[in-house]
Amino acid sequence: MRVAKFLFIFLWALSALGRSDDLIDLWIEPSECFPGDVIEIHAKMEHESYAEFELNVPVYPNFHYVASTREPLRYNEGLYTQKSVLRLQPIEPGSFELDGISVTLNEGEKERELPLPALKVSVLSYAAEDSTNELETFALAEEVASRTSGVWLATVFLGIVLLFVLIAVFFRRPKASLVQSDSEGANSMQELLEGLERGEIPTALIERLLALPEAKISDALRGAMEAMAYSKHKPRQQLIDLLKVEVKG
């Protein structure tokens, strides 16, 4: 009796495992990568009768968990379809077998856990990849260096000469522009004040004053000038008072 019971449980477990392979497709993308790359574990179910699953993946010490996505259950053309994706990042190179993966299958009235086959992933080493090209890279670099050394020295020399020329031009350029701008700004402010006192709105003159890069205009005066030129509310008297202070100062 005990032998028959054990045989029944063993055959049931084999059938459940076989059905898990039929129900759930499991694969990994990509199966070859470098440390830090993102790999994806895909689990997909297509079943004629109602069923949905939850993917169970243990913690692997050589991989960093990134994210997981579980698509909702869909019914299309007579099949219940569902998919889950788990994203991991390998931490170090090596060949790894990701085992212990399973799904919790819910078939309405009953729920069971089905084991899934292990997945294999090969994490390549950057050092190994670099060493395969090290000699070729070194030879190419040496050849390029020998060809360009003369050009590089000439470029550096011309760059130094050009730098000295620019410095000399900068320090020898005339400084009259600032005085000229200040003088022009003072005359224009006097002209603007006189025009406002006559009842005019010299918008063009205001815009010319605002455009002077070196003109010494306070923030309050600049704001009043902009309002006078562009705002519906014209602060004429405020601008006259500010101009008087600016011109006299």
Side-chain angles (χ1 to χ4, degrees):
M1 182 67 181
R2 291 182 178 178
V3 174
K5 186 176 180 180
F6 174 79
L7 182 60
F8 173 76
I9 295 173
F10 178 72
L11 292 175
W12 179 85
L14 285 179
S15 64
L17 181 61
R19 283 191 291 167
S20 72
D21 290 340
D22 294 338
L23 284 175
I24 307 296
D25 290 329
L26 186 71
W27 71 94
I28 190 168
E29 292 180 354
S31 59
E32 191 175 274
C33 61
F34 288 93
D37 292 347
V38 176
I39 61 173
E40 295 181 340
I41 297 176
H42 294 256
K44 184 178 181 181
M45 178 199 70
E46 290 185 348
H47 196 40
E48 293 180 354
S49 59
Y50 170 80
E52 58 181 334
F53 73 91
E54 182 175 351
L55 181 63
N56 306 315
V57 179
V59 176
Y60 301 113
N62 297 312
F63 291 82
H64 170 70
Y65 171 81
V66 177
S68 60
T69 304
R70 183 185 180 190
E71 296 181 1
L73 182 68
R74 293 183 173 88
Y75 183 75
N76 185 28
E77 297 182 357
L79 290 176
Y80 290 92
T81 304
Q82 187 183 355
K83 185 177 180 181
S84 288
V85 179
L86 180 73
R87 295 175 178 85
L88 302 173
Q89 275 184 313
I91 300 174
E92 58 185 6
S95 296
F96 302 97
E97 186 174 274
L98 307 182
D99 54 4
I101 302 174
S102 65
V103 294
T104 302
L105 188 66
N106 184 356
E107 296 176 293
E109 297 181 356
K110 60 180 179 178
E111 184 176 284
R112 56 196 174 105
E113 185 170 349
L114 304 177
L116 296 175
L119 298 171
K120 293 183 179 180
V121 59
S122 178
V123 183
L124 305 178
S125 171
Y126 284 111
E129 180 72 11
D130 292 341
S131 64
T132 58
N133 299 323
E134 184 177 354
L135 292 177
E136 182 180 353
T137 303
F138 178 78
L140 179 61
E142 188 177 22
E143 181 181 355
V144 172
S146 64
R147 290 183 178 180
T148 59
S149 58
V151 177
W152 182 81
L153 290 174
T155 303
V156 171
F157 176 75
L158 291 176
I160 294 174
V161 172
L162 180 60
L163 178 62
F164 277 106
V165 171
L166 290 176
I167 293 174
V169 171
F170 176 79
F171 282 103
R172 292 183 60 186
R173 66 179 182 177
K175 299 183 179 180
S177 57
L178 178 60
V179 177
Q180 183 179 358
S181 296
D182 290 343
S183 176
E184 182 182 354
N187 294 336
S188 298
M189 287 182 188
Q190 181 64 39
E191 183 182 349
L192 176 59
L193 176 60
E194 294 173 356
L196 290 171
E197 289 178 338
R198 291 194 302 267
E200 301 173 0
I201 304 179
T203 303
L205 180 57
I206 293 175
E207 291 178 342
R208 189 168 75 248
L209 269 170
L210 291 172
L212 285 176
E214 305 294 344
K216 297 179 180 178
I217 301 176
S218 64
D219 293 339
L221 179 57
R222 181 178 293 276
M225 291 170 65
E226 290 176 349
M228 193 68 187
Y230 307 117
S231 176
K232 292 182 179 179
H233 173 68
K234 309 293 185 182
R236 181 190 299 273
Q237 190 56 48
Q238 179 189 1
L239 182 54
I240 290 175
D241 295 341
L242 290 172
L243 283 170
K244 287 180 178 180
V245 173
E246 202 74 31
V247 170
K248 290 179 180 179

